[in-house]
Amino acid sequence: MSVQERKQRQRMERERLIVATARELAERQGWDAVTTRRLAERIEYSQPVLYSHFRGKREIIGAVALEGAAEMALAVRAATAAADGPRARVTALARAYLHFAERNPAVYDAIFQLDGGLAYAREETPEPLKDAFAALLECLGEVAGDGVHPGLFTEVFWAALHGLATLTRAGRLPPEDTEARVELLVNRLAVL
């Protein structure tokens, strides 16, 4: 391995360490606890080293969002692949989405609530975000109904899931009724 290759590998490892540490800190203490100073201390590098990877917290949030979007897409695809039939796939998608949001609140916030400097719903949207939407569309497009644009239906279904996730987490909806909400959403919104 050349010196240049080794340096590049070390740089990538440091970047992964920064993102993983930010994510762990945010999941434990919230995003307000994630500062460049605290990250530098935790990863045992100076702040200038951290800034050589990310211009600031906003870019770190963006990196966590991209990583999280890829994980969410995998979770949704795994859940829907194991389901048999359209109703079961849509139900599995909804459960997987809500489960991801519940288990990864800081990552979910990075993807959907916080400013990570990422473009959404545009040509320049990063691939992991496009793929996360595609994972939803793959399943939901088949149940949109005649004359309904699959992308628009996916956006509406996704918005409903997002509302359920955020309202439940905020204590506005009782969590014990989540399954009933999923069934209602699937039965009333999707054409099965």
Side-chain angles (χ1 to χ4, degrees):
M1 176 181 299
S2 73
V3 172
Q4 184 65 21
E5 290 171 329
R6 182 177 50 78
K7 285 184 179 184
Q8 183 62 27
R9 189 185 81 234
Q10 289 172 336
R11 180 172 177 74
M12 290 172 56
E13 288 171 3
R14 268 194 316 270
E15 195 166 295
R16 280 192 293 271
L17 178 62
I18 293 166
V19 171
T21 304
R23 183 175 172 165
E24 183 265 327
L25 187 57
E27 290 293 0
R28 285 181 179 219
Q29 298 178 28
W31 278 104
D32 287 342
V34 179
T35 64
T36 54
R37 179 183 214 168
R38 186 174 273 170
L39 285 174
E41 289 171 3
R42 288 226 174 170
I43 65 172
E44 298 179 345
Y45 284 101
S46 67
Q47 282 184 293
V49 169
L50 194 136
Y51 282 116
S52 74
H53 291 274
F54 299 99
R55 286 182 282 194
K57 182 176 176 176
R58 182 178 185 221
E59 284 189 3
I60 294 168
I61 290 170
V64 170
L66 294 177
E67 187 176 272
E71 291 171 9
M72 188 179 75
L74 283 172
V76 165
R77 285 189 175 112
T80 57
D84 186 32
R87 179 181 304 281
R89 279 192 292 280
V90 175
T91 301
L93 177 145
R95 287 176 181 152
Y97 183 96
L98 293 172
H99 184 69
F100 180 87
E102 180 184 359
R103 288 190 61 228
N104 305 283
V107 173
Y108 189 83
D109 285 349
I111 301 169
F112 298 116
Q113 305 283 87
L114 302 175
D115 179 10
L118 304 172
Y120 285 80
R122 296 197 305 250
E123 188 65 34
E124 64 272 15
T125 298
E127 202 53 45
L129 298 177
K130 288 180 180 179
D131 189 52
F133 184 78
L136 300 175
L137 179 62
E138 289 161 10
C139 177
L140 295 170
E142 71 176 309
V143 298
D146 293 337
V148 177
H149 188 281
L152 291 177
F153 177 77
T154 300
E155 290 171 352
V156 170
F157 200 94
W158 168 32
L161 288 174
H162 177 71
L164 291 175
T166 56
L167 290 170
T168 301
R169 189 166 120 207
R172 304 304 195 269
L173 297 175
E176 62 271 11
D177 294 330
T178 297
E179 188 59 33
R181 288 187 200 96
V182 166
E183 290 299 321
L184 183 62
L185 182 62
V186 171
N187 291 332
R188 299 290 186 197
L189 200 54
V191 177
L192 302 166

